[in-house]
């Protein structure tokens, strides 16, 4: 039983549960994501002074930039993997130290990382796709001004 549990756990780590309900992008679509939120309780400093009173609207991008580009792809779709690798190659040619993350919604991040010598992440439990309202892949996420841009890009 212990060995079976170990095997199941390793399999799940190497091949996480896919994010369900996503479709393949067929048109280029751009959408704005506003990360502004309303403070639900007074935010106080270490001395008890109020930094942000309840009800204040805060856009985190006014305080810290979203650095780099995130790519959400279906890791079992060769055209999406090829597309993201070409995107990364373009970023590298423009900047010697580009910031990016490749986030899979299906497939093996370990297998792809090893095969392509670049790090692949996984959207565990679909938390990121849910937060950003991503419904189609591939989707590119980056900052433009005080908003984030979600760009769906079809692959050939």
């Amino acid at each position: 039983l212990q060995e079976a549990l170990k095997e199941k756990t390793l399999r799940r780590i190497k091949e996480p549960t896919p994010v369900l309900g996503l479709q393949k992008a067929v048109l280029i679509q751009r959408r704005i994501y506003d990360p502004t939120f309303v403070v639900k309780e007074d935010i106080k400093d270490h001395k008890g002074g109020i930094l942000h009173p309840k009800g204040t609207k805060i856009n985190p991008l006014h305080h810290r930039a979203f650095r780099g580009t995130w790519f959400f792809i279906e890791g079992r779709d060769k055209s999406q993997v090829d597309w993201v690798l070409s995107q990364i190659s373009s970023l590298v040619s423009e900047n010697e130290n580009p910031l990016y993350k490749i986030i899979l919604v299906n497939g093996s991040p370990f297998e792809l990382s090893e095969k392509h010598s670049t790090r692949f992440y996984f959207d565990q439990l679909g938390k990121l796709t849910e937060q950003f309202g991503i419904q189609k892949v591939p989707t590119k996420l980056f900052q433009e001004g005080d908003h984030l841009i979600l760009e769906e890009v079809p692959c050939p």
Side-chain angles (χ1 to χ4, degrees):
L1 286 174
Q2 240 179 359
E3 200 57 40
L5 180 60
K6 180 180 170 184
E7 282 293 318
K8 183 179 179 183
T9 302
L10 284 173
R11 202 169 41 251
R12 206 159 267 199
I13 289 171
K14 289 182 178 179
E15 187 96 21
T17 303
V19 178
L20 300 176
L22 299 177
Q23 298 174 353
K24 190 171 183 175
V26 291
L27 297 170
I28 294 175
Q29 302 247 352
R30 270 174 78 99
R31 192 167 49 83
I32 295 173
Y33 177 83
D34 183 358
T36 301
F37 65 94
V38 178
V39 176
K40 293 180 181 172
E41 296 178 7
D42 291 345
I43 299 176
K44 299 178 181 180
D45 64 17
H46 65 288
K47 293 182 180 178
I50 296 177
L51 293 172
H52 301 287
K54 177 181 176 179
T56 303
K57 288 184 178 182
I58 297 177
N59 182 334
L61 299 175
H62 292 165
H63 304 282
R64 185 171 181 187
F66 182 89
R67 297 179 45 184
T69 304
W70 289 6
F71 300 92
F72 291 83
I73 66 163
E74 157 63 77
R76 292 182 178 271
D77 182 337
K78 185 178 178 339
S79 66
Q80 291 188 38
V81 173
D82 291 345
W83 172 81
V84 80
L85 293 172
S86 74
Q87 293 290 303
I88 301 309
S89 179
S90 295
L91 288 174
V92 169
S93 69
E94 295 169 9
N95 180 346
E96 72 180 58
N97 234 353
L99 297 172
Y100 65 87
K101 283 189 179 179
I102 304 169
I103 303 165
L104 302 179
V105 297
N106 193 6
S108 172
F110 292 101
E111 183 182 307
L112 289 170
S113 294
E114 191 174 287
K115 181 177 180 179
H116 299 291
S117 300
T118 192
R119 185 169 282 181
F120 285 76
Y121 298 89
F122 198 90
D123 184 11
Q124 296 288 342
L125 305 174
K127 295 290 186 186
L128 294 171
T129 51
E130 182 181 333
Q131 178 181 345
F132 295 115
I134 294 171
Q135 297 173 353
K136 297 179 182 171
V137 288
T139 290
K140 185 174 163 180
L141 174 69
F142 56 94
Q143 183 174 348
E144 201 171 83
D146 61 356
H147 294 92
L148 296 175
I149 302 297
L150 292 148
E151 191 172 80
E152 297 170 5
V153 183
C155 290

